[in-house]
């Protein structure tokens, strides 16, 4: 009998959950970026790019872990 494999979530749907979690955190994108370790002058832009549903890149696992930690969530909750 063939096993059924679950279809993995698309990057866009993961980003949807990340945007929702960021909003729920009640922090600004700049605050999240600063907690992730980005410099003040680029923090907001870096998080905005990470959460962009139309982004054509996949973030590194370390970036996802940093984002989850910054907003007080587990990576499992976001994925």
């Amino acid at each position: 009998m063939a096993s059924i494999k679950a279809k993995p979530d698309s990057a866009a749907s993961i980003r949807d959950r990340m945007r929702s979690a960021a909003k729920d955190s009640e922090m600004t994108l700049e605050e999240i970026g600063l907690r992730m370790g980005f410099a003040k002058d680029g923090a907001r832009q870096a998080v905005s790019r990470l959460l962009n549903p139309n982004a054509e890149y996949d973030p590194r696992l370390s970036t996802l872990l940093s984002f989850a930690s910054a907003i007080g969530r587990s990576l499992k909750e976001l994925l």
Side-chain angles (χ1 to χ4, degrees):
M1 182 173 214
S3 63
I4 299 173
K5 293 184 179 181
K7 182 179 175 185
D9 282 338
S10 71
S13 65
I14 293 170
R15 283 189 169 98
D16 286 341
R17 286 193 292 278
M18 291 171 66
R19 274 194 312 281
S20 178
K23 184 177 178 182
D24 291 346
S25 76
E26 298 183 351
M27 286 187 277
T28 66
L29 296 182
E30 182 177 359
E31 290 170 326
I32 294 169
L34 291 172
R35 287 182 177 216
M36 289 177 69
F38 291 106
K40 184 170 177 61
D41 61 342
R44 185 200 57 77
Q45 183 180 12
V47 176
S48 180
R49 187 174 57 242
L50 175 65
L51 300 179
N52 182 349
N54 299 318
E56 295 192 21
Y57 79 99
D58 293 327
R60 293 180 179 199
L61 179 59
S62 60
T63 302
L64 296 175
L65 286 168
S66 180
F67 175 80
S69 177
I71 62 169
R73 300 278 183 102
S74 72
L75 184 58
K76 185 177 178 180
E77 291 178 80
L78 301 175
L79 301 179

